[in-house]
Structure formats: C-alpha cells, structure tokens
Amino acid sequence: MHLKKLSLVNFKNYAQAELEPGPGVNCFAGPNGTGKTNLLDAIHYLSFCKSFFNPIDSQNILHEAPFFVVQGWFEREGEEEEIYCGQKRGQKKQFKRNKKEYSRLADHIGLLPCVMMSPSDTELIYEGSEERRKFMDSIISQSDREYLEELIHYNKVLLQRNALLRQFGEGAPYDKASLEIWDEQLVKSGTIIYKKRMDFMAHFIQLFREHYKFISEGREEMNVHYESQLHHGDLKVLLETSVRKDMAVEYTTHGIHKDDLEFKLGDHPVKKFGSQGQQKSLLVALRLAQFDFIAKLKKVKPILLLDDIYDKLDDMRVRKLMELVSSHRFGQIFITDTNAERIKDLFKGIDVELRMFEVSSESGVRNLE
C-alpha cells in the first residue's frame, strides 16, 4: 500500500498543492514554518479522518477561506483508492471513499493504516493519562473494529452516566434504576475493552523491548506497564462500591477511562529519571512497535510519517533508524527536515528509492528531481 498522489486546497497554509510521492522514502525539505509538517498532517487526515495536531477541523482551513479539501490516491491490494476529505465552515465534514460518502467516519479507520512520529510525542511522557490511552486506542482501533465500536459506545455511556451524577449533585432525587442502566452498559463495553487492551499489551511490550534494545544498543532495560483499576476487581463491583464518591464528585471515578501506561527505566519512572536520550529512544521504540503491531495484524505495511527526525533523534539514533529502513521492513515513508543535503547524505549507500521535495513559502511544494 502506498500514496500515489496528494492534492490540497485551502488546507492550513496551502492555497493549493499537488505532489506525486514515490513508493519508498519521500522527504519534504525546507525552512521551518513553510508547511512541511502540514503535508504529513494531510496524509494523517486521509488515514484517520482527522488531524494529528488539531482536532477542530474548521481551524485547519486556510485563513479566511470558506473550505478545505484534502484528496489522496492510494494503491492498495492492487486497486486504486480515492479518498476525499472536505470541510466547509459551519458544516459537517465530508469523507468519501471512491466518491461514496461514509455514513460513519469510524468505518474508514484501519483501511489505510498510518503511524506518525512527531516531536509532540513527548506528550506521551509528560502529559496526563489521556494521551497514553489515546496512543493505545489509536493502535488497537486500526486493527480491531469491535474494539473501536465498544470504545465509542463506552464513551457515549460514560457521558450519560456523568450527566446523571451531575443531576443528583444539583438536587435531583437519587435514581438507582437509572444509574444501573448506564452501569450495565459500562460494564459490558468496559470489560471487552479491558480484555483487548490486556491482549494488546502482551504482544506490544515484546515488540517495544526489541526496538528499544536495538535503538539504545542494549545500554539499559526499558519497560512499559499497563495500569488499570480492573486489575484489582470486577468493573461492576467497582462501580457499585464507588457510588457515594461518584455522587460527591459528580463524575465516574472507576472504569477503563482511568487506564494508563507507565514507562519505567529499571524500577524508576522515565519521566523523572530518564535522560533526554533515553526518553527519545523510548518514544521511537513506541512508534516502531506500533508500526510492527499494525503491520502484523493488518498484513500490510502502514505509511510511516517522520516529522523533524533530527529534533527527536541524535545522529546515533537516526543512523539506527535508517538501518531499519534499509532492511526493507518498512513500506512508504515520509520525512521532514530543514536540510535537504543532510537527508541525501543520510541515505547514501542505502538501497531505497528516495524522492526529494522542496517546500518554501514562495513556491509551495516542488519535486527536486
């Protein structure tokens, strides 16, 4: 699977742009602020129906323009797939596959798997548990439709349960029967999600350890631990025993929406004790493990998006990453960098097709070959 053509209209800083990537490595080179990362985000849109960086679609429309359009033509299993994403201000987003509009965006997830590696990945270490749950959900949802459906349902029910708890807090009489209706649905979906996360982590951790060992050259041991309240009890019991607390705080305090991932260097949390190099190795290993997990289950190599790799990696780690690229474990790759010559030098002697694009504020995107 690979992207054959990308077209943008009024997307972020692009009034119009069109390019034809190669099936191997594609590099967008140019000064900071010219829109290199926006090209990666456009590809992310075509895979996930949303931006990697900004969840508010209208804010991705070029300033004062009435709409944006992102289109991509992919080769997938010997067939061409035309994907269209359009957003008009004040209207519902349109997403089409081969000119047929999706009734639900969730039906598209997993068709064109994609993995993004970005400097913003540091949020996985420093931000709250929501970022790490999103990381898990993004991986599993691309390969397991049931998981995505149960996750969507769980989140809808959670909103309803929390709304009922707020009503109790505002003086409405306690209604046990109504609460039990939401509890029953939370337990059903939450238990399925928990079991699938447990199964996912059993496979993912091994992939992560292999990649971390390779990138760090085996200097230390890094681990990922899945933390869940359901390790310690059945969700039905947890909800029943926390009713008083939930009513006091007016939200649901137990469930899989509290799950987290803990990153440890030996027995110590990476956030406090990991060096910058160790943290960078952790983040790269997470994304590479994500790639391998999806590739194995989907039996197709995801598109790999590497945003500003020299910001994330030192020379040693970049070389280790390129060793993997040269082993042909990956499919189509997109890289952004400020220095075109640096990328060319990096790929000298590596048996992979490299296509270079110059990105500038004046001329937009131009193929250098």
Side-chain angles (χ1 to χ4, degrees):
M1 180 195 77
H2 68 276
L3 174 64
K4 297 171 62 179
K5 182 179 177 181
L6 178 67
S7 175
L8 310 179
V9 177
N10 297 331
F11 181 72
K12 295 195 170 184
N13 69 311
Y14 290 97
Q16 189 167 1
E18 194 170 283
L19 58 108
E20 296 183 5
V25 177
N26 300 272
C27 177
F28 302 129
N32 289 325
T34 53
K36 302 185 300 296
T37 299
N38 293 342
L39 294 171
L40 300 189
D41 203 26
I43 299 170
H44 189 274
Y45 248 107
L46 296 174
S47 177
F48 287 96
C49 310
K50 64 181 180 180
S51 167
F52 181 83
F53 302 99
N54 189 344
I56 303 174
D57 294 303
S58 61
Q59 293 181 2
N60 294 310
I61 302 174
L62 179 69
H63 184 57
E64 295 184 352
F67 66 92
F68 81 66
V69 170
V70 177
Q71 284 179 280
W73 289 261
F74 296 80
E75 184 177 301
R76 176 180 173 272
E77 298 179 353
E79 302 289 335
E80 183 173 284
E81 297 277 1
E82 179 186 344
I83 306 300
Y84 170 98
C85 178
Q87 175 68 56
K88 293 181 180 180
R89 294 190 187 276
Q91 295 187 24
K92 180 184 176 182
K93 176 168 57 182
Q94 277 193 320
F95 210 91
K96 300 178 182 180
R97 176 187 178 189
N98 298 326
K99 297 183 169 49
K100 183 178 180 181
E101 186 170 0
Y102 283 100
S103 58
R104 300 188 322 147
L105 296 181
D107 293 336
H108 179 71
I109 304 303
L111 178 73
L112 305 168
C114 171
V115 173
M116 169 81 92
M117 190 183 297
S118 163
S120 66
D121 283 345
T122 53
E123 294 178 358
L124 290 171
I125 296 175
Y126 290 105
E127 296 299 320
S129 60
E130 182 179 1
E131 293 299 323
R132 293 178 286 278
R133 286 193 300 276
K134 284 181 181 178
F135 173 74
M136 276 195 294
D137 294 340
S138 171
I139 300 173
I140 306 172
S141 294
Q142 288 191 78
S143 56
D144 189 330
R145 178 55 56 86
E146 182 188 20
Y147 181 88
L148 180 58
E149 298 288 352
E150 293 295 346
L151 185 65
I152 292 170
H153 181 68
Y154 181 94
N155 288 330
K156 288 180 179 178
V157 173
L158 182 64
L159 287 174
Q160 295 293 334
R161 189 180 194 270
N162 287 343
L164 184 59
L165 291 170
R166 285 194 298 273
Q167 291 175 22
F168 295 158
E170 293 166 359
Y174 174 61
D175 185 346
K176 182 180 179 181
S178 294
L179 198 61
E180 286 178 344
I181 291 173
W182 300 125
D183 286 2
E184 182 180 344
Q185 295 184 61
L186 278 187
V187 169
K188 178 181 177 294
S189 292
T191 301
I192 292 172
I193 292 166
Y194 170 69
K195 290 178 179 177
K196 287 182 177 291
R197 284 178 178 174
M198 285 287 288
D199 184 59
F200 159 71
M201 289 304 300
H203 295 88
F204 182 80
I205 287 173
Q206 295 304 316
L207 296 171
F208 165 79
R209 287 173 178 166
E210 291 172 11
H211 282 298
Y212 188 86
K213 183 178 181 180
F214 178 80
I215 295 166
S216 66
E217 298 185 329
R219 292 192 179 95
E220 66 273 321
E221 182 180 346
M222 186 76 71
N223 282 303
V224 182
H225 298 281
Y226 171 41
E227 301 294 332
S228 178
Q229 295 168 335
L230 273 68
H231 290 347
H232 313 291
D234 178 80
L235 182 53
K236 184 176 187 296
V237 176
L238 291 173
L239 291 172
E240 289 173 349
T241 56
S242 63
V243 169
R244 288 185 180 276
K245 182 179 180 181
D246 290 357
M247 291 177 63
V249 298
E250 299 181 12
Y251 64 86
T252 305
T253 58
H254 286 77
I256 55 91
H257 59 287
K258 295 294 185 179
D259 287 0
D260 200 355
L261 295 177
E262 188 176 17
F263 307 132
K264 284 198 170 183
L265 184 63
D267 296 324
H268 305 288
V270 171
K271 181 177 180 179
K272 292 183 178 180
F273 295 94
S275 68
Q276 188 177 61
Q278 289 165 337
Q279 292 181 357
K280 287 181 176 180
S281 293
L282 161 72
L283 295 171
V284 173
L286 286 173
R287 291 303 185 186
L288 295 179
Q290 174 183 358
F291 180 97
D292 278 353
F293 182 86
I294 295 171
K296 183 177 181 179
L297 287 186
K298 299 289 291 183
K299 294 181 171 47
V300 63
K301 295 175 181 178
I303 293 173
L304 184 61
L305 309 176
L306 305 176
D307 187 25
D308 202 0
I309 57 172
Y310 277 95
D311 175 88
K312 174 175 287 296
L313 304 170
D314 57 28
D315 288 343
M316 182 273 286
R317 291 176 177 83
V318 169
R319 284 196 299 272
K320 299 297 286 185
L321 182 56
M322 291 311 111
E323 283 183 39
L324 290 176
V325 171
S326 64
S327 70
H328 296 282
R329 290 179 60 176
F330 299 101
Q332 190 177 35
I333 300 174
F334 292 86
I335 298 175
T336 67
D337 192 39
T338 56
N339 190 327
E341 294 305 316
R342 178 165 60 184
I343 291 294
K344 289 179 182 179
D345 290 341
L346 185 63
F347 281 93
K348 280 182 180 177
I350 294 179
D351 180 25
V352 63
E353 179 186 337
L354 175 63
R355 190 167 296 187
M356 299 291 301
F357 297 89
E358 179 185 62
V359 183
S360 68
S361 301
E362 295 77 24
S363 57
V365 186
R366 182 173 65 90
N367 193 330
L368 290 178
E369 300 174 2

